[in-house]
Amino acid sequence: MEARELSCWNDCATRNAIVDFVRDVTDQSGPDYIPPEERIAVFDNDGTLWCEYPLQVQLYYFLERFGDLLRRQPELAEVQPYKAIAERDMKTLITFDKQQIMNAVFMASGESTPEEYAVAVNSWFQTAVHPELKRSFYKVAYKPQNELLMFLSANGFKSFIVSGGGIEFMRVISQKVYGIPTHRVIGSTGNTKLVTDKEGPVVTRIAGLRDFNDKDEKVININYCIGKRPVLAFGNSDGDRAMLRYTKAGNGRSLTLLLHHDDGEREFAYDRDFKISTLSAALDNADADGTLVVSMKNDWNEVF
Amino acid sequence: MEARELSCWNDCATRNAIVDFVRDVTDQSGPDYIPPEERIAVFDNDGTLWCEYPLQVQLYYFLERFGDLLRRQPELAEVQPYKAIAERDMKTLITFDKQQIMNAVFMASGESTPEEYAVAVNSWFQTAVHPELKRSFYKVAYKPQNELLMFLSANGFKSFIVSGGGIEFMRVISQKVYGIPTHRVIGSTGNTKLVTDKEGPVVTRIAGLRDFNDKDEKVININYCIGKRPVLAFGNSDGDRAMLRYTKAGNGRSLTLLLHHDDGEREFAYDRDFKISTLSAALDNADADGTLVVSMKNDWNEVF
């Protein structure tokens, strides 16, 4: 695949930086050459590969299932953040940070096998529509990012999703939406139990967040799950800064990027005050960190 | 790659089962067709892909480093299983099971970055020789299994190592020895800490076993790391039985195999009494489990 196929990217500094980086690290005779097995790229998901505003996609799914949950545990309606969810009180809901929300989501998980959960999520995706963007959740991924994933793949990179979102939720759509197989998705995980019946071991998802994959934890999980330091990292919030700096601190050439949601026309304009996915320190320190800021408004000629 | 390239396998029932399985699940018009993204194969490592007798490869590395460790912590020489290691008392050492040994190995881990550890292991591999087989540890992998890995890859399968061995140890050699990239290696993990200095986050390996990847834990980690149930699983000990049964309990066609070390001439003959990697219940229940037993002696015409 040729660089010209990054057609949703304007001819701008960030696009040039991407194209130059890929050209240089794939040039076997050049000083920055990186062999294919070291071409590891990591992408945050919510707000980096697809829309996370005003709520992450997984939360819309949770809202949809929340009625069932309340019927089972009506007392939840008195406890935050469930109370805000029950009352569709978005003003209160967005005062919680992502870890608090993910904790609540995973605490409310009913018992199911991973297969049953995948069927339920998949079936929701068939018809669910983003209430603001008025389009299927299958179509809230950013087109320039899908081009970038394809461009990297064509140049021998392996791209991984490294997200604070639930690992099993993303895995339902990762192949279809991004062309990324389930084993290259790293995310927050819930607790599981294993019971062996006469057919063999049965894994069951149970209540509770096991690991919230954000900030330093993203770096630790990259080390555990990939076993190599990435050479390219793309994020959009302070939760991604550790992973971007970790990438940048490697030997040899690397590229780190931060998507800035500054396009209130075509998407949404938000950064510091969006508590569920704040962009503040990572933006203020982008220069010092060696991270390039991608302006959705100026750098992309198409969004969806 | 054609089935005839499984040339180290004799024309026997297990080879036929492998060839039939791969033919059937890749036949798009057949009833057993499995799409490429579902063609997940999992392999134990020690004793399945390479020799584990009389000690696992990682333990030979540990023995080599043990002198340094004793100089730092001489009191260890009085505590088992370190005492047995210090005295090269193999008779006592083999009375411990793999979890006890791995616990001891990980407890004795000096602090290092993953990169430093990989350099040290890699450098050991350059010259170390298996004391019984009198060959480089790079060459203790089984040739028929490497053929099988290549055969599966050529037929659209993704193979993963799912081993009780240390994940970082295996990752040093997985690409070179098996053609398996680091992110498709699942193993036992040690503790890490993360400290952010002015260059960014630094991951450091610290003392302690975080997760011993054996028995039920193999199934749980397959679910977390791969996110799909395998359709082929290959093991050689009771520690692999859960993963084999989990594979077999999936919907649709699957194949599970157990390597029996019954070849005292070309390798080693052991099963029930080898405490560090016992093969007993998995062998007794192979028929009931639907698992095929591969005889190293009868089914392989070459071993290394």
Side-chain angles (χ1 to χ4, degrees):
Chain A
M1 184 181 169
E2 299 293 316
R4 63 187 148 75
E5 298 189 35
L6 291 173
S7 63
C8 296
W9 289 74
N10 290 323
D11 184 7
C12 61
T14 54
R15 183 185 189 280
N16 289 340
I18 292 168
V19 173
D20 290 352
F21 173 76
V22 170
R23 182 198 59 214
D24 293 348
V25 304
T26 56
D27 173 6
Q28 259 187 287
S29 60
D32 294 333
Y33 180 69
I34 298 174
E37 65 272 20
E38 307 288 333
R39 291 179 206 157
I40 304 293
V42 290
F43 287 82
D44 170 61
N45 184 39
D46 295 314
T48 299
L49 292 179
W50 71 2
C51 180
E52 66 175 347
Y53 197 92
L55 290 177
Q56 275 97 1
V57 177
Q58 187 174 2
L59 294 188
Y60 285 112
Y61 174 72
F62 185 70
L63 291 184
E64 173 80 17
R65 309 291 294 192
F66 193 65
D68 294 347
L69 178 62
L70 269 193
R71 275 186 289 281
R72 285 202 314 268
Q73 294 177 258
E75 68 281 8
L76 285 183
E78 301 311 311
V79 188
Q80 289 296 13
Y82 302 110
K83 187 167 185 294
I85 293 170
E87 294 167 357
R88 297 292 190 268
D89 171 7
M90 294 299 146
K91 231 170 109 176
T92 303
L93 188 59
I94 60 169
T95 65
F96 296 96
D97 67 26
K98 192 166 180 182
Q99 178 154 18
Q100 292 170 314
I101 301 273
M102 290 302 278
N103 244 323
V105 167
F106 277 85
M107 277 314 295
S109 168
E111 296 203 358
S112 62
T113 66
E115 287 89 348
E116 288 162 352
Y117 176 77
V119 166
V121 172
N122 196 47
S123 133
W124 176 77
F125 265 102
Q126 304 305 313
T127 56
V129 170
H130 191 288
E132 308 283 328
L133 297 172
K134 315 285 187 209
R135 51 169 64 226
S136 161
F137 283 104
Y138 281 128
K139 306 275 184 189
V140 302
Y142 305 129
K143 203 168 162 193
Q145 299 292 58
N146 266 348
E147 285 183 345
L148 176 55
L149 290 171
M150 279 195 291
F151 177 60
L152 292 172
S153 174
N155 282 286
F157 284 77
K158 288 268 184 292
S159 293
F160 293 75
I161 292 175
V162 181
S163 166
I167 196 168
E168 291 171 308
F169 186 83
M170 295 183 285
R171 281 172 168 171
V172 173
I173 55 84
S174 65
Q175 183 74 49
K176 181 180 166 99
V177 173
Y178 305 121
I180 293 181
T182 57
H183 65 273
R184 286 199 263 123
V185 176
I186 301 168
S188 294
T189 55
N191 293 321
T192 55
K193 70 174 179 188
L194 188 145
V195 176
T196 299
D197 68 16
K198 64 181 188 347
E199 304 295 320
V202 178
V203 177
T204 304
R205 308 168 68 252
I206 58 173
L209 185 63
R210 169 187 176 252
D211 183 28
F212 180 52
N213 188 47
D214 197 42
K215 300 194 172 81
D216 286 356
E217 203 63 21
K218 288 197 174 190
V219 175
I220 287 172
N221 285 327
I222 286 170
N223 182 54
Y224 279 132
C225 301
I226 306 179
K228 284 189 186 299
R229 189 190 298 257
V231 296
L232 187 154
F234 210 138
N236 82 306
S237 79
D238 288 355
D240 301 316
R241 190 179 173 211
M243 148 176 117
L244 268 56
R245 296 186 76 198
Y246 176 67
T247 299
K248 207 70 205 175
N251 297 323
R253 193 78 179 268
S254 60
L255 180 65
T256 55
L257 301 146
L258 200 56
L259 181 61
H260 192 198
H261 292 266
D262 56 2
D263 192 334
E265 294 281 315
R266 297 182 299 176
E267 204 228 15
F268 304 100
Y270 63 92
D271 47 32
R272 293 170 205 279
D273 300 326
F274 185 48
K275 194 143 185 234
I276 205 169
S277 179
T278 303
L279 176 62
S280 174
L283 191 60
D284 295 338
N285 292 284
D287 276 356
D289 290 351
T291 286
L292 299 179
V293 177
V294 174
S295 161
M296 186 179 273
K297 187 174 174 177
N298 300 322
D299 297 359
W300 289 359
N301 59 59
E302 272 192 80
V303 175
F304 297 110
Chain B
M1 185 181 169
E2 298 292 317
R4 63 189 149 73
E5 297 188 35
L6 291 173
S7 63
C8 295
W9 290 74
N10 289 323
D11 184 7
C12 61
T14 54
R15 183 186 189 280
N16 290 340
I18 292 168
V19 173
D20 291 352
F21 173 75
V22 170
R23 182 198 59 215
D24 293 347
V25 304
T26 55
D27 174 6
Q28 260 187 287
S29 59
D32 293 333
Y33 180 70
I34 298 174
E37 64 270 21
E38 307 288 332
R39 291 179 205 156
I40 303 293
V42 290
F43 287 83
D44 171 60
N45 184 39
D46 295 315
T48 299
L49 292 180
W50 71 1
C51 180
E52 66 174 349
Y53 197 93
L55 290 178
Q56 276 97 0
V57 178
Q58 186 173 3
L59 294 188
Y60 285 112
Y61 174 72
F62 185 72
L63 291 184
E64 175 80 17
R65 311 291 295 192
F66 193 67
D68 295 347
L69 177 62
L70 269 191
R71 276 187 289 281
R72 286 202 314 267
Q73 293 177 260
E75 68 281 6
L76 285 184
E78 300 311 312
V79 188
Q80 290 296 14
Y82 301 111
K83 187 167 186 292
I85 293 170
E87 295 168 355
R88 296 291 191 266
D89 171 6
M90 294 301 146
K91 231 171 109 177
T92 303
L93 189 59
I94 59 168
T95 64
F96 296 96
D97 66 27
K98 192 166 180 183
Q99 177 153 20
Q100 291 170 314
I101 302 272
M102 290 301 279
N103 243 324
V105 167
F106 278 85
M107 276 314 295
S109 168
E111 295 202 0
S112 63
T113 66
E115 287 89 348
E116 288 162 351
Y117 176 77
V119 166
V121 171
N122 196 45
S123 133
W124 176 77
F125 265 102
Q126 304 304 312
T127 56
V129 171
H130 192 289
E132 309 284 327
L133 297 173
K134 314 285 186 210
R135 51 170 63 224
S136 161
F137 284 104
Y138 281 128
K139 307 274 186 188
V140 302
Y142 305 129
K143 202 168 163 194
Q145 299 292 59
N146 266 348
E147 286 183 344
L148 177 55
L149 289 171
M150 279 194 290
F151 178 59
L152 292 173
S153 174
N155 282 285
F157 283 77
K158 288 269 183 291
S159 292
F160 293 76
I161 292 175
V162 181
S163 167
I167 195 168
E168 292 172 306
F169 186 83
M170 294 184 285
R171 281 173 167 171
V172 173
I173 55 83
S174 65
Q175 182 75 47
K176 181 179 166 102
V177 174
Y178 306 121
I180 292 182
T182 57
H183 66 273
R184 287 200 262 124
V185 176
I186 301 169
S188 293
T189 55
N191 293 321
T192 55
K193 70 173 178 188
L194 187 145
V195 177
T196 298
D197 67 17
K198 64 180 186 352
E199 304 295 320
V202 178
V203 177
T204 304
R205 308 168 68 249
I206 57 173
L209 185 62
R210 169 190 178 250
D211 182 28
F212 180 53
N213 188 47
D214 197 41
K215 299 195 172 81
D216 286 357
E217 203 63 20
K218 289 198 174 191
V219 175
I220 287 172
N221 285 327
I222 287 170
N223 182 54
Y224 279 132
C225 301
I226 306 178
K228 285 189 186 299
R229 189 190 297 257
V231 296
L232 186 153
F234 209 139
N236 83 305
S237 78
D238 288 355
D240 302 315
R241 191 181 172 209
M243 148 175 117
L244 268 57
R245 296 186 76 199
Y246 175 66
T247 299
K248 207 69 205 174
N251 297 322
R253 193 78 179 268
S254 60
L255 180 67
T256 56
L257 300 147
L258 200 56
L259 181 61
H260 192 197
H261 293 267
D262 56 2
D263 191 334
E265 294 282 315
R266 297 181 300 176
E267 204 226 16
F268 304 99
Y270 64 92
D271 46 33
R272 293 170 205 277
D273 301 327
F274 185 47
K275 194 143 185 236
I276 205 168
S277 179
T278 303
L279 176 62
S280 175
L283 191 60
D284 295 338
N285 292 284
D287 277 355
D289 290 351
T291 287
L292 298 179
V293 177
V294 174
S295 160
M296 185 178 275
K297 186 174 174 178
N298 300 322
D299 296 359
W300 289 359
N301 59 58
E302 271 191 81
V303 174
F304 297 110

